Amino acid sequence: MKALSTKSKIVFLSTFPPTQCGIATYTQDTIKGIADVYGKSILCEICELVDKPKIKPTQAFTLNTKNRKEYTTVAEEMNTDKSIKLVHIQHEFGLFGGNYGDHLLDFLNVIKKPVTFTFHSVIPNPNDELRTFVKLLLRYSHSVFVMTNQSQEILVNDYGISKELITCVPHGTHVVVYETPFSAKKKFDIQDRLVLSTFGLLGEGKNIETGLKALPKIIKNTPNVLYLIIGKTHPNNITNGVDAYRNRLEQMVDDLQLRDNVRFVNEYLDTAHLLEYLKATDIYMFTSKDPNQAVSGTFSYAMSCACPLVASKIPHTLEVLTSDSGILVDIGDADQFAEAAIQLLSDEKRREEMGINAFRKTRASSWENVAITHMNTYKKLMDKTYEIKYSYPAIELAHIKKMTTELGIIQFSKISVPDPSSGYTLDDNARALIAFCMHYKLTEDKDDLPYILIYLDFIERCQKPKGNFMNYIDENNREHLEQNEAANLEDSNARAIWALGTVVSHSAILPDSISKKASKCLLNALKWSENIQSPRSIGFATKGLYLYHSTIPNLYVAAIINKLNAKLLSNYEIHASKNWKWYENYLTYANGILPESMLYAYLVTNKPIYKKVALESLDFLTSKMFLDDNFRVISNKGWYQKNTEPHPYGEQPIDVSYTIQTLNAFYNATKSPEYKQQMKTAFNWFLGKNHLNQIMYNPVSGGGYDGLERENVNLNQGAESTICYLTARLIMENLKATDSKVIPLSKSRTTMAIHS
């Protein structure tokens, strides 16, 4: 593939804000998702659909759908722009002029770019004319997106469209940081109310009347209920300045004496504000009365904000809403709405469980994941010579800071809510200390220093008189003898040495008191470190000792590095064979630390055998993880045993991060472009280049998801996963800077071309 000199363009034919309609908002969110994930190589432009001449066009193209001549004119304009690689038409029958919107055919007859559609409506049981027209549209594109499985089935069964032409992608949702409704209500000072809500551009189809009719019965059971009706009236429903529909709703509120229990939020809210209202909702009331409504963005958004739902039965809700996340009721049946709401209002635990289930179900439909699905289809239609590259998200520390108390970083998180009862571990605080040192070096942000000190103090708190460390401290800062004795503490102790060496290696930029404290702890641990036996523990400790020795040369430290890696070398010589160049008869977790340890041993001792084994074992490891330009994580389901086929699925962020860290060390030592490319390929796993095509981080908070399973992402964002994602992200940020010059791994030795 050739590199792009300019970005490739995708043009969307659609309404667009400030036009207030669902398709305009949908297109805006789709484009933002694509820009967030692929903005490095893709530029999305708008051909704005309007119904009257626009005096000052604000988009790249404008199409007045009532002026038939413009359909061909706009297509000809697009044909002259060589950077446009695809045209994506947001299709709704009322958007385009003519019978069934057939003026669009004038555009399709002229456009020479690949075309795809999103069908926002798929009408079942079409007459012959409609069926023929839809089939004709798809002859121009051979590609269409729909948002529900039912829409796909209708196209296949009622229209005779080949399933191969259809991409089913759920309506996108915004990633939010999960919180309980009680917590979210504080922003609106309504903690004392149980909140029902509905939102969207108001009109007859929303059928808010049903919710209002259900409310008196609900109030008898729950007097403190508050029904929020959020959103402006649809512009098409306002005639000569008269908002008849809203006036009717207001009159209903008065007639039913509901003023204390109903609040109209008559605004077109920005997305962030709307999502805050939804997070504060105890039950979302979806009252739509259109039995053929294929998809609802408001319904999707409510689920994504962890709202339990009471929803009328339309195709979208029937397909998506199961009994573990809401209750389905008949369209327009106020009694059923009331009974369902009363059930849920009377059971807080059930509401919480339903909300979490709804939240989990919609993570796959985040706009970032929707963008990935779109791009996978676009690639089939676009010129194959252009490379589509991922963009790196902003570095966010919100979640890791939320997980950190005055004592240290909490071990586990329930989704994004820290779980103090899980306590604190040396492992996690060591990892966090390393990550914050990296972040401080990158940004020189003074706000990092208190966190660095918290994590360092935790390590110091865990150190015992003989220099070794305990691993577990409970939420009350107490040692748990059973947990600390039951676990194999070599790995956690060795990680502490790695973290302490990292601090010392940053002594030029850190306060002297921090560097001295880390140095003292590390030196106290040296005697213990001589006797490490576990291969990975040897690797972790070697990394820390190498960083210390590179900053403060120390013959004793160098001797320990040699002694430890002689053990690791012995392991290699025992287990390695022609087709298995490894230190054990299996690959488990954090495998990259083993060849990385050999690399550091070579850089300290200059012994050729360490260099040979470092390169051999890394080549072996990467041959198992990088296949056909794809990255495959070693599964934690039984790991990868010698002479067996590896298990699929069960992938954890820690292994992706350690692979990137190891490749980074070898890249810094050799400047081999292969290692750099492999780093990018591995990091793309976080960005959605995995078997589920889903991002593995929360872009709002920087939380890292705990694992990738066969059919789902584990959305808990514990300390380990969050820190591992952050560490990998920081390395990729630094990669741009290190491209311009060689950075030696050791101050006492120039960087060696170890492939020579």
Side-chain angles (χ1 to χ4, degrees):
M1 289 185 176
K2 64 182 181 182
L4 289 173
S5 56
T6 59
K7 293 181 181 180
S8 297
K9 294 178 183 176
I10 297 171
V11 176
F12 285 75
L13 261 68
S14 178
T15 54
F16 203 73
T19 298
Q20 295 177 4
C21 77
I23 292 178
T25 304
Y26 179 89
T27 301
Q28 182 182 50
D29 288 332
T30 301
I31 286 174
K32 184 180 184 302
I34 292 171
D36 287 345
V37 180
Y38 300 104
K40 187 175 182 179
S41 55
I42 291 292
L43 176 65
C44 294
E45 292 187 338
I46 296 295
C47 176
E48 186 177 8
L49 303 178
V50 297
D51 58 7
K52 54 182 174 290
K54 197 161 185 176
I55 299 173
K56 292 184 178 180
T58 55
Q59 301 298 335
F61 304 93
T62 303
L63 170 56
N64 180 358
T65 57
K66 292 187 176 179
N67 183 344
R68 189 161 186 176
K69 292 181 180 178
E70 289 195 14
Y71 287 85
T72 55
T73 302
V74 170
E76 288 166 352
E77 289 176 10
M78 292 183 189
N79 287 339
T80 63
D81 188 340
K82 294 182 179 180
S83 63
I84 295 174
K85 306 303 175 187
L86 181 75
V87 176
H88 191 153
I89 301 170
Q90 301 297 310
H91 185 272
E92 182 66 84
F93 290 103
L95 283 181
F96 302 97
N99 188 30
Y100 291 122
D102 63 3
H103 290 178
L104 180 59
L105 296 176
D106 295 352
F107 174 89
L108 294 170
N109 282 322
V110 175
I111 193 70
K112 296 180 180 178
K113 311 289 183 178
V115 172
T116 187
F117 293 91
T118 292
F119 282 175
H120 288 264
S121 289
V122 180
I123 301 171
N125 304 312
N127 59 35
D128 290 342
E129 187 179 10
L130 176 57
R131 183 186 298 108
T132 300
F133 177 67
V134 169
K135 294 178 76 170
L136 179 60
L137 287 180
L138 292 186
R139 288 198 187 102
Y140 288 93
S141 69
H142 305 291
S143 170
V144 61
F145 292 87
V146 295
M147 287 177 254
T148 64
N149 291 322
Q150 184 174 27
S151 293
Q152 176 175 273
E153 291 172 6
I154 292 170
L155 283 180
V156 172
N157 297 328
D158 293 6
Y159 290 83
I161 304 300
S162 170
K163 192 173 182 178
E164 284 67 38
L165 304 185
I166 306 169
T167 302
C168 189
V169 55
H171 191 291
T173 55
H174 296 278
V175 175
V176 300
V177 177
Y178 172 80
E179 60 182 316
T180 62
F182 180 79
S183 173
K185 289 174 191 176
K186 294 176 184 177
K187 304 177 185 71
F188 304 103
D189 195 25
I190 52 175
Q191 301 97 303
D192 59 336
R193 309 298 292 267
L194 283 166
V195 177
L196 313 177
S197 77
T198 189
F199 88 92
L201 292 169
L202 299 192
E204 295 285 348
K206 296 291 184 186
N207 197 23
I208 305 299
E209 300 92 325
T210 298
L212 293 176
K213 289 175 184 176
L215 200 54
K217 197 171 184 179
I218 296 171
I219 292 170
K220 285 182 181 179
N221 178 79
T222 313
N224 68 332
V225 75
L226 177 64
Y227 188 18
L228 299 176
I229 300 171
I230 305 165
K232 295 182 69 174
T233 305
H234 197 291
N236 293 346
N237 294 323
I238 298 176
T239 305
N240 298 322
V242 177
D243 189 344
Y245 182 69
R246 185 177 296 273
N247 291 342
R248 191 161 74 248
L249 295 180
E250 295 271 11
Q251 187 61 51
M252 279 189 69
V253 170
D254 290 334
D255 292 345
L256 295 171
Q257 299 181 350
L258 301 175
R259 279 293 164 194
D260 292 338
N261 300 90
V262 174
R263 184 179 300 174
F264 287 92
V265 183
N266 187 11
E267 300 177 60
Y268 190 78
L269 298 175
D270 64 72
T271 300
H273 199 185
L274 169 63
L275 297 176
E276 293 297 339
Y277 269 115
L278 291 176
K279 289 198 288 183
T281 296
D282 291 288
I283 302 173
Y284 188 80
M285 304 284 278
F286 181 76
T287 54
S288 173
K289 66 179 182 181
D290 181 359
N292 293 318
Q293 186 175 353
V295 68
S296 167
T298 61
F299 168 76
S300 297
Y301 282 17
M303 287 191 71
S304 74
C305 289
C307 297
L309 289 104
V310 178
S312 52
K313 297 173 183 175
I314 66 165
H316 191 189
T317 61
L318 286 166
E319 179 171 312
V320 174
L321 191 65
T322 51
S323 60
D324 63 352
S325 51
I327 300 175
L328 289 165
V329 297
D330 292 333
I331 291 174
D333 193 320
D335 287 337
Q336 287 187 27
F337 269 96
E339 290 166 7
I342 289 169
Q343 278 186 45
L344 298 184
L345 289 171
S346 303
D347 192 339
E348 182 178 359
K349 183 178 179 182
R350 187 181 177 195
R351 290 200 312 274
E352 181 181 1
E353 290 174 351
M354 280 186 165
I356 290 174
N357 289 333
F359 181 89
R360 293 186 189 280
K361 286 179 181 180
T362 52
R363 288 312 86 195
S365 63
S366 74
W367 286 112
E368 292 82 0
N369 292 335
V370 166
I372 293 166
T373 302
H374 275 83
M375 192 57 64
N376 287 339
T377 294
Y378 291 165
K379 288 177 185 176
K380 300 173 185 176
L381 306 172
M382 295 166 64
D383 186 340
K384 302 295 189 297
T385 62
Y386 288 88
E387 184 179 4
I388 308 300
K389 299 178 181 178
Y390 288 92
S391 298
Y392 295 159
I395 296 169
E396 297 286 352
L397 302 180
H399 185 63
I400 195 171
K401 289 183 176 182
K402 183 179 177 182
M403 293 281 287
T404 302
T405 70
E406 292 181 356
L407 179 58
I409 189 165
I410 296 169
Q411 185 175 191
F412 297 137
S413 177
K414 296 177 180 177
I415 305 182
S416 55
V417 179
D419 179 12
S421 68
S422 65
Y424 306 80
T425 67
L426 180 66
D427 279 326
D428 291 332
N429 282 273
R431 293 186 187 103
L433 180 55
I434 293 165
F436 264 80
C437 285
M438 293 172 64
H439 187 264
Y440 185 65
K441 183 177 181 181
L442 176 69
T443 65
E444 298 183 4
D445 184 349
K446 298 297 184 184
D447 289 344
D448 289 347
L449 294 176
Y451 291 91
I452 289 173
L453 190 57
I454 286 172
Y455 306 135
L456 179 57
D457 283 347
F458 185 90
I459 294 175
E460 183 184 52
R461 180 251 182 265
C462 290
Q463 191 163 35
K464 297 180 178 181
K466 292 184 179 181
N468 61 321
F469 304 84
M470 71 186 74
N471 185 45
Y472 181 78
I473 302 293
D474 75 8
E475 61 181 310
N476 298 311
N477 197 15
R478 296 176 305 193
E479 302 171 19
H480 267 227
L481 190 62
E482 289 184 8
Q483 291 207 39
N484 283 314
E485 287 187 347
N488 178 359
L489 298 185
E490 269 200 348
D491 276 9
S492 57
N493 275 245
R495 279 198 191 91
I497 292 174
W498 172 11
L500 295 169
T502 299
V503 174
V504 173
S505 72
H506 289 75
S507 58
I509 59 172
L510 288 172
D512 196 45
S513 59
I514 289 178
S515 301
K516 285 182 176 178
K517 181 181 289 193
S519 182
K520 180 182 176 182
C521 286
L522 187 145
L523 292 174
N524 287 341
L526 288 182
K527 190 66 178 175
W528 171 86
S529 69
E530 285 189 60
N531 299 309
I532 296 173
Q533 300 298 323
S534 164
R536 278 157 193 78
S537 302
I538 288 172
F540 299 142
T542 295
K543 192 165 185 175
L545 295 172
Y546 173 79
L547 290 168
Y548 181 92
H549 177 67
S550 298
T551 308
I552 307 173
N554 183 305
L555 291 177
Y556 180 34
V557 171
I560 295 174
I561 290 172
N562 184 47
K563 180 179 179 181
L564 292 177
N565 284 276
K567 297 178 189 177
L568 193 56
L569 178 62
S570 176
N571 266 54
Y572 185 83
E573 291 172 340
I574 290 169
H575 295 99
S577 60
K578 181 179 179 182
N579 297 316
W580 188 264
K581 304 290 186 180
W582 199 243
Y583 308 83
E584 302 160 310
N585 286 329
Y586 41 78
L587 296 168
T588 60
Y589 82 104
N591 298 294
I593 195 65
L594 305 185
E596 192 176 343
S597 186
M598 289 278 103
L599 171 64
Y600 297 133
Y602 169 64
L603 292 175
V604 169
T605 67
N606 206 26
K607 291 184 178 180
I609 186 61
Y610 288 146
K611 166 188 166 181
K612 176 178 179 292
V613 171
L615 292 171
E616 277 184 359
S617 58
L618 180 62
D619 286 348
F620 170 77
L621 178 62
T622 55
S623 75
K624 302 300 181 185
M625 301 185 80
F626 294 90
L627 304 168
D628 301 323
D629 294 326
N630 290 314
F631 177 68
R632 183 169 66 188
V633 184
I634 302 299
S635 168
N636 63 0
K637 311 291 186 186
W639 305 114
Y640 186 171
Q641 306 292 328
K642 185 177 182 179
N643 297 325
T644 66
E645 287 297 314
H647 292 270
Y649 315 117
E651 303 176 25
Q652 294 183 306
I654 185 173
D655 292 300
V656 185
S657 184
Y658 275 121
T659 302
I660 291 168
Q661 292 175 56
T662 295
L663 291 167
N664 186 52
F666 277 81
Y667 177 68
N668 285 338
T670 69
K671 291 302 165 188
S672 168
E674 179 184 10
Y675 296 139
K676 178 181 174 182
Q677 184 55 49
Q678 287 175 333
M679 288 167 67
K680 293 178 179 179
T681 301
F683 189 74
N684 287 347
W685 180 90
F686 286 109
L687 306 181
K689 191 68 165 64
N690 51 60
H691 77 270
L692 289 184
N693 295 315
Q694 293 187 33
I695 59 172
M696 291 300 299
Y697 64 96
N698 184 310
V700 178
S701 68
Y705 298 143
D706 275 358
L708 181 70
E709 304 301 336
R710 179 171 187 163
E711 296 178 350
N712 67 283
V713 172
N714 183 339
L715 297 177
N716 293 331
Q717 295 151 54
E720 177 187 286
S721 300
T722 295
I723 298 165
C724 285
Y725 165 69
L726 174 61
T727 302
R729 177 66 187 87
L730 291 169
I731 288 173
M732 302 312 293
E733 190 71 14
N734 279 319
L735 188 62
K736 293 181 288 187
T738 59
D739 281 346
S740 61
K741 59 181 179 179
V742 173
I743 299 179
L745 284 175
S746 171
K747 291 184 178 180
S748 60
R749 174 190 311 278
T750 57
T751 301
M752 302 174 185
I754 64 173
H755 275 301
S756 61

